[in-house]
């Protein structure tokens, strides 16, 4: 095993590591307030836990040199776990907007959708060499639904936490669009590309989510 010789991949690995460490810090914060709403916080802990794992996994995948064939199989588990993470996110949005019972009912269907997304990724990758476009579509649909739901929820309840959650979703959408562009390359001491930018922007979104969830632990709803 050797370090990936592509300089942009090295930077991506480092920023992925920073994202993982930051995600772990947010995980600790949420773990400390989990008793305020155990069901909801358990889902969020799974989301942040998967983000930590995916970031550390990505650090290794980007930072270590692998053959193209090996990389295809290395990315498969990450693709699947990203789908699970997005599915859990939709489940927790449904919890906030519709309540616990509907969230529980929709969870099996959302997990099933993650499996379908993964299968679709495998199928598409055989046609256009990359199935990541499927994840972008899957994430995009989920985030747009979440953004609309939280904006409507804010109009209804006027809770500050909902504004932070909405902002976190908007930042996540921006991060995904920047990554999907695959057109960002610049140098500030070190060279960065669209993946590195995605990691930095996603960190902002992650902190907004954490702030919103922290505030929600003190809010009282009717």
């Amino acid at each position: 095993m050797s370090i990936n010789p592509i300089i942009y991949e090295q930077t991506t690995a480092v920023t992925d590591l920073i994202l993982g460490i930051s995600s772990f810090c947010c995980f600790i914060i949420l773990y400390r307030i989990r008793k305020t709403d155990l069901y909801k916080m358990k889902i969020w802990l799974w989301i942040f836990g998967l983000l930590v794992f995916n970031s550390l996994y990505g650090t290794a995948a980007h930072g270590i040199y692998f053959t193209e064939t090996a990389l295809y199989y290395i990315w498969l588990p990450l693709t699947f776990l990203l789908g699970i993470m997005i599915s859990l996110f939709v489940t927790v949005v449904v919890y906030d907007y519709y309540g616990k019972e509907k969230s529980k009912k929709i969870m099996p269907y959302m997990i099933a959708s993650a499996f379908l997304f993964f299968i679709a990724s495998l199928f598409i990758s055989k046609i256009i060499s990359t199935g990541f476009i499927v994840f972008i579509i899957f994430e995009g649909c989920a985030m747009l639904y979440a953004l609309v739901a939280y904006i409507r929820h804010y109009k209804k309840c006027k809770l500050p936490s909902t504004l932070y959650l909405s902002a976190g979703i908007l930042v996540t959408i921006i991060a995904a669009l920047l990554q999907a562009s695959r057109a960002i390359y610049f140098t500030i001491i070190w060279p960065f590309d669209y993946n590195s930018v995605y990691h930095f922007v996603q960190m902002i979104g992650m902190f907004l989510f954490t702030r919103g969830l922290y505030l929600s632990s003190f809010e009282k709803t009717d």
Side-chain angles (χ1 to χ4, degrees), residues 82-130:
L82 285 171
I84 293 293
M85 187 172 68
I86 296 300
S87 296
L88 289 175
F89 181 76
V90 173
T91 301
V92 83
V93 172
V94 170
Y95 173 89
D96 280 334
Y97 193 68
Y98 292 106
K100 186 175 181 179
E101 291 305 313
K102 286 196 175 181
S103 177
K104 284 186 172 181
K105 286 181 180 179
I106 199 176
M107 182 176 288
Y109 297 102
M110 290 310 304
I111 298 300
S113 73
F115 279 94
L116 292 175
F117 145 75
F118 180 64
I119 293 171
S121 297
L122 294 177
F123 179 75
I124 294 297
S125 67
K126 300 295 184 181
I127 301 175
I128 60 174
S129 76
T130 175

Side-chain angles (χ1 to χ4, degrees), residues 44-65:
W44 275 107
L45 284 172
W46 270 101
I47 292 170
F48 273 88
L50 285 171
L51 185 56
V52 172
F53 178 82
N54 292 343
S55 297
L56 298 181
Y57 191 99
T59 298
H62 285 289
I64 299 173
Y65 172 75

